[in-house]
Structure formats: C-alpha cells, structure tokens
Amino acid sequence: MPAPLLTRPEILGRLMELFREKGFDGASLADIAKSTGLGKSSLYHHFPKGKEEIALEVLGHLETQLEEALFQPMRSAAPPRKKLDRMLDTIDRFYEGGKKACLLERLCASVDARRFRRPLGRAFDTWIDAVEALGVECGLARKVARQRAEDLVVRIEGALVVCAGTGNTAVFTRAIRDLRQSVLAP
Amino acid sequence: MPAPLLTRPEILGRLMELFREKGFDGASLADIAKSTGLGKSSLYHHFPKGKEEIALEVLGHLETQLEEALFQPMRSAAPPRKKLDRMLDTIDRFYEGGKKACLLERLCASVDARRFRRPLGRAFDTWIDAVEALGVECGLARKVARQRAEDLVVRIEGALVVCAGTGNTAVFTRAIRDLRQSVLAP
DNA sequence: GTCTATATAATGATAGAC
DNA sequence: GTCTATCATTATATAGAC
C-alpha cells in the first residue's frame, strides 16, 4: 500500500499550473500524469470521473486560494486604498507581471466551457463583489462601485490576453498601475 | 475533376467561425471537415501542412477582413469621433454584442500559441496602431493616444472573457459604450 | 479537387496485480 | 494508493483511385 506521493493540495496546485500553461483542451492525461508524478490509474483513483472532474477540482482549489489570498484580506479593517493596493500586488504576483495566464480564462476558452460555467461565473462574480465592496466602503455609489469592479476584472483579463498575444508585458504592468488610481477615485 | 464546392474565402470564413467557437486545440480535423463540407484529403490538398497551416491561413484571412472592415475606414477624411464610433459599431457586430469569441484570443490560448505568435502580435499591433492614429488625429499626445488605444483592445478582449465566463453580455455592451467616450477624450 | 480507405500515433479511460 | 498492461476511440495525416 504505497503512501501518497503528494498531498491533494499539492496535486491540485501542480494541475493548476498545467492548465494555466496548456489550457484544458491542450493538457492531455499524459501531461497531467507527468506533472503530478502519478500514473493514469492513480489519477482515476483520485478523480474517478476523469479529466472533467480534475478541472472542476482545480477550479475549486483556485476558489479556496482566492478566498484566502485575495478576498479575506479585503474584509480587514485596513483603509480601502491599502486593501486595493494589496489586492493588486497579489494579482501582479499571481500572474507574474503578465507572463502567466489566468485559469478562469483558459477554462472559458475550452471546448467544455459550458460544463465549467457555474463555477466560472461564481469565481468572476466573487472577485467583482470583493472589489465592489471596496468601492462602497470608499463612499462610491453602489452602481459606480460595481462598474469599476467589473472594469478591474475586465482589464486584468484583457491585459493578460494582449500580453500573451504580443509578448509585451508592459501592457499588464500599466493596467495594474492605472487601476490603483482609477478603481477608487471619487 | 470535381469543381471546388466553396471558394477559398468561404472556406476560411467557415473555419474562422469554427476556431472562434471551439478554439484551435478544441477543433479537430473531423470538425474542420464537417464545417467546410470537405473530406480530410481535400483539406490536405488545400492546406498541405495540415492543421497548423489552416490556423495560419485563417489568421491571414482575419487580417484581410480587419484591414477592409476596420482599418481602411479609419483612414478616411471623416471626423475622428465618427470613425471611432464606426469602429466600435463594427466590433460590436463582429462579436455579436459579446456572444462570440475573438479568434486572436482563442489562438493565444492554444497549445501552439508560440507558432502563431508573429501574426498574433502583428494583428494586435495593427489594431492598436489604428486606434492610436485616431487619437493623434484628435490632438492627443502620441503617448496618451497609444495608451488609450491599448486600453481599447484590452477592454474589448477582457470584456469578451468575462462575458464568456459569466454569461452576462452587459459587461461587453458597457465596455463599448464607455470606450466611445473615453478613448478620444481630451 | 474530391473521394474512400487506411496508416499510425495519441487520446481518455479500465482491469486487475500488489 | 500505486503500478503495468490494455481497452476502444479519436486524433492527425497519407495513398491512391477517379
């Protein structure tokens, strides 16, 4: 009875890396096995429903990570501007300055996107909600705060696409910089 | 000697639809054959180097379309604000109000993105250049015009991603509306 | 320029031993 | 919980007839 080689969070972390790099359609079970160090059969032990279940679990893992690293800190008593700065720092690190792709975007662009629709929509909404709350905390009208929050997510995702297409990460860096000013502006 | 069933632009048009819907990794040769009504062997007659060549040709077809429908009109003598409006109308139609994906984004998100890097970068740059020219025409400093142009492309691409993830096309509609005001603002 | 038939490799997924 | 071996299916790509 061999012991597990990796903990479940470790496995999911590696798989998130893989899907961010190759996308869902582009990552084969062979890739998945290699990136985790597990054989295919072991994978089906952990994820009996196969590749689709793997992606859903990885999405869930991301939601947990986002909650801890991105959303929890937003509910502290710190000044909203500080909290926005912290969020943008975390985002900048997570995407490595525009060099790494977004899991949400990669799954949106997959053939089975409809299967992932619910968790994808929830992840985007949670993210937007967190930024909206900052705006409201800053005294912005709810509607304005909402639009600014949507705009933040839109610009992050768009900048990642344009960076991937042009190879010019300056676009992402500038997006982050601009958002520090614009999101909570009066 | 059977006659060709479709002209080359017709073939490329259908394939563009297919890749926008399924992505490069998600569209199989069987899908490609079905969408064009051609057998696999016929496909290899038209595109001897296979699937990768198909995607490159489709990208070229898009560049031609963009040149005619998007960039040419920008070089007319019309007032810049009118021309921006026209571009945003064309974009809105092309993406069907946020319901259809962007070919550039789908190819950026493919496993072989590096193969498409050059034409992808060129397409993005040409697009940004065209918008930048409008800004300069409007009296904006070149640097400002450039940033606004990048921002337009970023927000379009990002809005498409968020729409695909949330199913809420309002985000795209609002992005288009906002851009009408912000891109050429003094 | 299209077709049918096929080659060959890779795909997602299972069976059963340990 | 992992492994090796294998399954049926699908993938991209060719050969050669018409």
Side-chain angles (χ1 to χ4, degrees), chain A residues 64-114:
Chain A
T64 306
Q65 281 203 320
L66 289 179
E67 175 57 29
E68 288 173 15
L70 215 58
F71 306 144
Q72 278 248 3
M74 294 303 108
R75 294 193 281 272
S76 79
R81 300 200 115 72
K82 264 253 152 63
K83 292 194 282 186
L84 175 67
D85 271 333
R86 227 178 288 166
M87 173 184 272
L88 289 168
D89 289 341
T90 304
I91 289 172
D92 194 19
R93 257 181 286 118
F94 188 69
Y95 296 117
E96 295 184 11
K99 289 201 292 282
K100 285 211 175 181
C102 175
L103 178 70
L104 304 178
E105 183 258 336
R106 295 305 268 236
L107 292 183
C108 285
S110 74
V111 164
D112 302 286
R114 282 186 46 205

Side-chain angles (χ1 to χ4, degrees), chain B:
Chain B
M1 222 181 269
L5 299 178
L6 295 173
T7 66
R8 195 174 180 86
E10 283 170 338
I11 291 174
L12 293 173
R14 295 202 184 192
L15 291 176
M16 187 161 73
E17 287 297 306
L18 178 68
F19 283 133
R20 286 176 72 182
E21 196 184 315
K22 299 208 166 195
F24 180 75
D25 301 327
S28 69
L29 274 193
D31 293 325
I32 291 172
K34 196 168 144 197
S35 78
T36 55
L38 294 170
K40 292 183 190 179
S41 298
S42 301
L43 285 170
Y44 279 91
H45 171 77
H46 289 285
F47 311 99
K49 288 201 284 264
K51 198 179 165 184
E52 191 177 306
E53 182 180 3
I54 291 178
L56 286 169
E57 293 285 330
V58 172
L59 246 180
H61 178 67
L62 173 65
E63 289 191 86
T64 306
Q65 281 203 318
L66 290 179
E67 174 58 28
E68 286 173 17
L70 216 59
F71 307 144
Q72 278 248 2
M74 295 303 110
R75 293 193 280 271
S76 79
R81 299 200 116 72
K82 265 252 154 60
K83 292 194 283 187
L84 175 66
D85 271 333
R86 225 177 289 165
M87 173 183 271
L88 289 168
D89 289 341
T90 304
I91 289 172
D92 195 18
R93 259 181 284 117
F94 187 70
Y95 296 117
E96 294 184 15
K99 288 200 293 283
K100 284 211 175 181
C102 176
L103 179 69
L104 303 179
E105 184 257 335
R106 295 306 267 239
L107 292 183
C108 285
S110 74
V111 165
D112 303 286
R114 281 186 46 205
R115 301 268 182 177
F116 309 135
R117 188 58 164 284
R118 217 166 294 238
L120 282 176
R122 189 176 48 209
F124 277 121
D125 284 337
T126 312
W127 189 1
I128 293 168
D129 287 346
V131 182
E132 178 189 339
L134 284 188
V136 170
E137 210 180 324
C138 249
L140 294 176
R142 172 151 252 117
K143 203 177 161 186
V144 174
R146 182 85 195 164
Q147 293 187 353
R148 300 266 185 91
E150 285 173 359
D151 205 54
L152 180 144
V153 176
V154 161
R155 290 172 81 168
I156 298 287
E157 294 294 340
L160 290 172
V161 170
V162 173
C163 286
T166 63
N168 173 20
T169 55
V171 171
F172 182 81
T173 305
R174 198 170 57 70
I176 294 279
R177 180 154 30 86
D178 286 359
L179 287 167
R180 289 188 200 275
Q181 306 304 322
S182 62
V183 175
L184 298 180

Side-chain angles (χ1 to χ4, degrees), chain A:
Chain A
M1 223 182 266
L5 299 177
L6 294 173
T7 66
R8 195 173 179 86
E10 283 171 338
I11 290 175
L12 293 173
R14 295 203 185 191
L15 290 176
M16 186 161 77
E17 287 296 307
L18 178 68
F19 284 132
R20 286 176 73 183
E21 195 185 316
K22 299 207 166 196
F24 180 75
D25 300 327
S28 70
L29 275 191
D31 294 326
I32 291 172
K34 196 169 145 197
S35 78
T36 55
L38 295 170
K40 291 185 189 179
S41 298
S42 300
L43 286 171
Y44 278 90
H45 171 77
H46 289 285
F47 311 98
K49 288 203 285 263
K51 197 180 167 184
E52 192 178 305
E53 183 180 3
I54 292 178
L56 286 170
E57 293 285 330
V58 172
L59 246 180
H61 179 68
L62 173 65
E63 290 190 84
T64 306
Q65 281 203 320
L66 289 179
E67 175 57 29
E68 288 173 15
L70 215 58
F71 306 144
Q72 278 248 3
M74 294 303 108
R75 294 193 281 272
S76 79
R81 300 200 115 72
K82 264 253 152 63
K83 292 194 282 186
L84 175 67
D85 271 333
R86 227 178 288 166
M87 173 184 272
L88 289 168
D89 289 341
T90 304
I91 289 172
D92 194 19
R93 257 181 286 118
F94 188 69
Y95 296 117
E96 295 184 11
K99 289 201 292 282
K100 285 211 175 181
C102 175
L103 178 70
L104 304 178
E105 183 258 336
R106 295 305 268 236
L107 292 183
C108 285
S110 74
V111 164
D112 302 286
R114 282 186 46 205
R115 302 268 183 177
F116 309 135
R117 188 58 163 286
R118 218 165 294 239
L120 281 177
R122 188 175 50 212
F124 277 121
D125 284 337
T126 312
W127 188 3
I128 293 169
D129 287 346
V131 182
E132 178 189 339
L134 284 187
V136 171
E137 210 179 324
C138 249
L140 293 177
R142 172 150 253 119
K143 204 177 158 187
V144 175
R146 182 84 194 163
Q147 293 187 356
R148 299 267 186 90
E150 285 173 359
D151 204 54
L152 179 143
V153 176
V154 161
R155 289 172 80 167
I156 298 287
E157 294 295 340
L160 290 172
V161 170
V162 173
C163 286
T166 63
N168 173 19
T169 55
V171 171
F172 182 81
T173 305
R174 198 171 56 71
I176 295 278
R177 182 155 27 87
D178 286 0
L179 287 167
R180 289 188 199 274
Q181 307 303 322
S182 61
V183 174
L184 299 179

